[in-house]
């Protein structure tokens, strides 16, 4: 449901969301656009996937949320990383590094 | 930490559901606004921007649903939603709810009732304090499997020597004649069920008397010294008006005055479902049991033993110890040590051998009512399928709004579980009432009712919960899967009724076929047994059962020895012969078709070791010459005994045709001689009697031996019975006979009945079987009829348009009805054929109870099939008639 061109790997969406919030609080649409921007349009996250993920991660304690004003003066719900969320991002990044290295090696070997 | 967070949000979700729902709504709508703004900035006009944003979002409600179903605790929340929604659905369709609920309640209640009875008899521990620590002890022997009673000396030995039990109690059953119930007035003599018990019986069970006290230890010491009695609560109520003054009054039992010392607690069942009316100390057994005194007999088993395990002692340890005790008891006799032992098993109403007889019956019955439950489930499934069609729009809309198929199936399942759960609760009340009714049914009129504790315990509750859950799943799963598998677009279209009808119908048809088959199967069994009963009543017995009264005087209880008893009965028979209407009177050791047997082996004199000239373990009788005329057994060859032969104690015998054939095939048997064992005298055969069904009702021809009524041929344990043939009413005569015995000796008590009563006793199993399978079969048929009615009614509703068109095009209303009837008729015919085939295959198992009726009896099969056909056509015709009244104009405007 989440892709335009590429299927998202299980667990990847969480990591992308955590990463996009690394620089500061964002609302749902902001997160969605940030992910598109940094992946150069490879991933397009639909609201049907985004919101369940945000709420789940909030329940996990990785994110916290608050209502705020958007750039064009609309009310919007902002998400930001908690301490646990930051740790989760670090461990996810490290794990992802290992996986992609391993896969890259596996594909190079022949 | 993480789980703590989840835990917290779980509760927050539950507690603040409304608030978080509002928050979620605001968030998604804000997202939509942001998205719209974005589109406007990209240069779209505002209305197009809104549409594009909505398209990208994928629908506010859908997103919200996605979020909700990813929350923790969502299953509980959704479950609760499903329950509330299901309850609303059930309330909204009272017709469906009532019908399906009734069907399930009946079936679940019936199942629970049967289980309740067997639970009371087989599974439940005795009603006693700490029943898990109670153990029954049985004598077990290789020679006589099923012989389970223990002798008095062995009981004493175990009581003194064991270290496993904190107390050991012995008891035995008996019957006593109450001739005077204290000062309660001159009551008619009455037979009471008595239980002889050791002094510690009540304290071992932990039963506190309702009035007075239980027995004292010394009341169980010296034989005959303490005539005291504890009476049952019901007897206290019926004969003493429940007054406390009953304690200290006297009861005359078997002509001896007993002092009442206590009243058993209300509802006390003790060790036997045939609850005694009175309890008497074991030491008084000579007054209750006939036969010689048994206290010193090391071999005669007559006691049941009940023991309480000491704290910390296991059943296995106790078993090991009693085995050693049994071996030590028989130490002097190595043969007995090898062959016999004592078994310890958890205390129960039934002995292990009775249990192994009862368990298959229980399983059979539970399976039979399980079939009925299955029919009920099929029916409810059918109803739900039919209803599912009317709900296709509702379900389609829910699918369109983002409900997943799993969610829909779950919703429908919850609905059907709700229904079966409610039926289970209703069934619980039915189970109790039906179980009481069943106990009353099982017992023939006049006999004592069984008392079992039928208040549902955890086993019944568990069973009820399991079958309710099971039937909810069985009746709900198929329809739920079927109904939820549909295209939302299809559902939105207006007239999809006919198409949908076609889709669900193969499953529905299969269910109807199954129901018809099952109910026909049960009904054929009932038909066969009922027909066989009629046949058994008219069966050629070989003797006259209608005009013979039977009298059993209890002479052994009153100090008569064998010769004295025979002499007394001869005098008695002279007096009875003088009564008006009496044709003849005879004495006999056993009564035709009675429950008392005497058996022996016989060998032809010239046989040697040849196996075909002997008959092992055959039944025999000891009779006066008048016996053959009195019961109407023809002597076809030779003669009966002469008075001279009886006076001189001659060794003569009559034999049955079958025995003659066995001992001397195609030879003249008269004048031949037989012996009963290696050291027995030779008996000369003087006559051959026609074969009669005098042992087992189903055995037309058995080898049988008649010996003359002389003390030598009698055993010492029971008195001969008197058989009286009358020109008048045998039952009325039987009623008058005990009075004549009392005239001769006021102390002697007696029982009287008729030979026809014996016949009824043999027919009891068939009668019960017929009654039970008829009840179940009719219930099944009722359920099937409900299914057929609802199915046809539904077809009429679904096809109103089609019927309207047919009528508008000129079809006669009758043709429309027959169209509908043909459709269901075909299903009934298929189901009927399957049911008949299954019944034909299974009826061979009943052959023992059919008394010569063919297992494929045409009348039973054809009659039942016809009955089923009529009932099912009626069930279809009633709703189909509605089709005749369809007004084409209204029908075509319909929808």
């Amino acid at each position: 449901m989440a892709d335009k061109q590429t299927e998202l790997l299980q667990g990847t969406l969480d990591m992308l969301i955590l990463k996009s919030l690394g620089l500061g609080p964002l609302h749902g649409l902001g997160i969605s656009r940030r992910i598109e921007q940094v992946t150069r349009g490879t991933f397009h996250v639909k609201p049907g996937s985004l919101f369940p993920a945000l709420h789940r991660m909030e329940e996990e304690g990785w994110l916290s949320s608050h209502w705020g004003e958007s750039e064009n003066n609309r009310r919007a719900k902002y998400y930001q990383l908690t301490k646990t969320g930051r740790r989760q991002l670090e461990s996810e990044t490290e794990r992802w590094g290992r996986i992609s290295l391993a896969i890259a090696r596996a594909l190079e070997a022949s | 930490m993480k789980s703590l967070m989840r835990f917290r949000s779980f509760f927050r979700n539950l507690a603040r559901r409304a608030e978080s729902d509002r928050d979620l709504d605001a968030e998604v709508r804000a997202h939509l606004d942001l998205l719209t703004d974005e589109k406007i900035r990209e240069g779209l006009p505002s209305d197009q921007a809104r549409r594009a944003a909505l398209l990208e979002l994928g629908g506010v409600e859908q997103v919200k649903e996605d979020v909700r179903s990813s929350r923790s605790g969502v299953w509980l929340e959704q479950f609760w939603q499903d329950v509330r929604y299901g309850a609303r659905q059930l309330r909204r369709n009272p017709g469906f709810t009532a019908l399906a609920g009734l069907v399930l309640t009946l079936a679940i209640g019936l199942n629970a009732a049967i289980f309740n009875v067997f639970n009371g008899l087989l599974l439940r521990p005795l009603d006693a304090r700490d029943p898990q620590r109670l153990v029954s002890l049985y004598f077990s022997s290789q020679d006589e499997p099923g012989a389970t009673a223990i002798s008095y000396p062995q009981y004493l030995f175990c009581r003194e020597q064991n270290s496993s039990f904190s107390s050991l109690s012995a008891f035995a059953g008996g019957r006593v004649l109450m001739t005077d119930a204290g000062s309660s007035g001159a009551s008619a003599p009455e037979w009471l069920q008595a239980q002889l018990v050791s002094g510690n019986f009540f304290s071992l069970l932990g039963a506190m008397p309702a009035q007075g006290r239980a027995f004292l230890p010394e009341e169980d010491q010296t034989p005959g010294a303490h005539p005291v009695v504890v009476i049952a609560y019901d007897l206290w109520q019926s004969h003493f008006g429940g007054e406390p003054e009953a304690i200290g009054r006297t009861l005359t039992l078997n002509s001896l005055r007993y002092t009442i010392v206590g009243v058993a607690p209300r509802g006390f069942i003790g060790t036997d479902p045939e609850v005694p009316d009175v309890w008497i100390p074991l030491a008084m057994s000579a007054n209750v049991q006939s036969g010689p005194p048994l206290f010193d007999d090391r071999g005669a088993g007559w006691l049941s033993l009940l023991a309480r395990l000491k704290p910390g002692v296991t059943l296995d340890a106790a078993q090991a110890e009693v085995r050693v005790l049994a071996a030590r008891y028989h130490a002097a006799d190595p043969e007995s040590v090898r062959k016999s032992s004592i078994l310890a098993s958890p205390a129960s109403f039934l002995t292990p051998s009775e249990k192994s007889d009862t368990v298959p019956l229980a399983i059979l019955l539970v399976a039979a009512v399980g079939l009925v439950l299955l029919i009920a489930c099929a029916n409810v499934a059918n109803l739900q399928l039919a209803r599912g069609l009317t709900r296709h729009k509702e379900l389609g809309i829910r699918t369109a709004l983002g409900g997943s198929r799993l969610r829909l199936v779950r919703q429908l399942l919850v609905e059907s579980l709700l229904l079966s759960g409610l039926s289970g609760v209703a069934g619980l009340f039915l189970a109790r009432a039906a179980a009481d009714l069943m106990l009353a049914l099982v017992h023939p009129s006049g006999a004592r009712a069984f008392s079992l504790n039928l208040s549902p315990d955890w086993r019944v509750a568990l069973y009820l919960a399991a079958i309710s859950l099971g039937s909810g799943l069985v009746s709900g799963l198929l329809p739920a899967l079927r109904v939820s598998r549909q295209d939302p677009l299809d559902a939105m279209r207006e007239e999809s009724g006919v198409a949908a009808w076609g889709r669900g119908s193969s499953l529905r048809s299969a269910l109807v076929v199954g129901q018809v088959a099952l109910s026909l199967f049960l009904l054929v069994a009932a038909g066969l047994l009922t027909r066989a009963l009629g046949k058994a009543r008219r069966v050629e017995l070989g003797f006259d059962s209608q005009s013979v009264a039977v009298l059993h005087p209890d002479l052994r209880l009153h100090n008569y020895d064998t010769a004295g008893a025979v002499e007394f009965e001869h005098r008695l028979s002279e007096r009875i012969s003088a009564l008006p209407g009496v044709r003849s009177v005879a004495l006999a050791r056993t009564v035709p078709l009675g429950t008392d047997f005497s058996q022996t082996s016989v060998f032809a004199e010239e046989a040697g070791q040849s196996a075909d000239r002997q008959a092992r373990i055959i039944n025999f009788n000891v009779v006066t010459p008048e016996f053959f005329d009195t019961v109407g057994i023809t002597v076809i060859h030779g003669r009966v005994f002469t008075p001279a032969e009886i006076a001189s104690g001659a060794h003569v015998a009559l034999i049955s045709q079958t025995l003659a054939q066995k001992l001397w095939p195609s030879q003249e048997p008269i004048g031949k001689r037989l012996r009963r064992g290696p050291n027995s005298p030779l008996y000369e055969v003087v006559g051959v009697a026609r074969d009669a069904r005098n042992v087992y009702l189903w055995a037309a021809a058995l080898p049988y031996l008649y010996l003359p009524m002389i003390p030598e041929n009698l055993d010492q344990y029971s008195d001969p019975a008197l058989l009286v043939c009358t020109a008048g009413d045998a039952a009325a005569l039987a009623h008058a006979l005990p009075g004549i015995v009392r005239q001769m000796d006021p102390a002697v008590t007696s029982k009287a009945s008729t030979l026809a009563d014996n016949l009824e006793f043999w027919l009891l199993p068939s009668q019960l079987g017929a009654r039970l399978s008829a009840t179940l079969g009719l219930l099944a048929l009722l359920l099937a009829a409900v299914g057929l009615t609802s199915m046809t009614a539904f077809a009429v509703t679904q096809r109103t348009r089609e019927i309207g068109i047919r009528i508008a095009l000129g079809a006669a209303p009758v043709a429309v009805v027959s169209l509908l009837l043909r459709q269901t008729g075909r299903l009934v015919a298929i189901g009927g054929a399957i049911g008949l085939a299954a019944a034909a295959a299974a009826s061979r198992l009943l052959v023992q109870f059919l008394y010569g009726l063919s297992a494929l009896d045409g009348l039973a099969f054809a009659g039942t099939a016809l009955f089923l056909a009529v009932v099912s056509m009626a069930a279809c015709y009633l709703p189909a008639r509605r089709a005749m009244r369809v007004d084409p104009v209204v029908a075509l405007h319909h929808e």
Side-chain angles (χ1 to χ4, degrees), chain A residues 69-99:
Chain A
E69 293 269 304
S70 77
E71 48 280 20
N72 41 359
N73 297 331
R74 287 213 181 261
R75 257 171 63 80
K77 200 169 184 186
Y78 280 80
Y79 290 87
Q80 69 188 73
L81 286 183
T82 61
K83 259 191 220 156
T84 343
R86 239 171 244 294
R87 274 205 300 278
Q88 181 68 18
L89 175 59
E90 280 161 26
S91 71
E92 290 267 314
T93 316
E94 192 238 355
R95 193 175 65 95
W96 184 252
R98 270 189 288 121
I99 290 172

Side-chain angles (χ1 to χ4, degrees), chain B residues 864-882:
Chain B
T864 316
L866 187 69
F867 177 57
L868 180 104
V870 169
V871 170
S872 7
M873 280 303 112
C876 299
Y877 178 72
L878 291 178
R881 223 177 30 174
R882 229 164 27 132

Side-chain angles (χ1 to χ4, degrees), chain B residues 25-37:
Chain B
D25 187 65
E27 182 180 4
V28 177
R29 285 185 192 287
H31 185 90
L32 182 62
D33 291 341
L34 287 172
L35 212 52
T36 313
D37 288 351

Side-chain angles (χ1 to χ4, degrees), chain A residues 2-16:
Chain A
D3 65 338
K4 208 168 189 178
Q5 287 91 16
T6 315
E7 285 283 338
L8 270 175
L9 272 168
Q10 186 73 39
T12 320
L13 179 61
D14 289 6
M15 193 179 60
L16 289 176

Side-chain angles (χ1 to χ4, degrees), chain B residues 751-776:
Chain B
K751 288 173 284 205
S753 60
T754 66
L755 274 192
D757 292 341
N758 285 359
L759 186 62
E760 289 306 308
F761 174 81
W762 283 95
L763 295 181
L764 200 63
S766 312
Q767 222 153 18
L768 282 178
R771 239 182 258 175
L772 202 73
S773 45
T775 312
L776 294 183

Side-chain angles (χ1 to χ4, degrees), chain B residues 70 93 247 269 311 393 525 533 539 710 720 763 793:
Chain B
S70 75
N93 297 281
I247 306 298
I269 293 175
K393 252 174 241 172
L533 270 178
V539 78
I710 51 176
L763 295 181

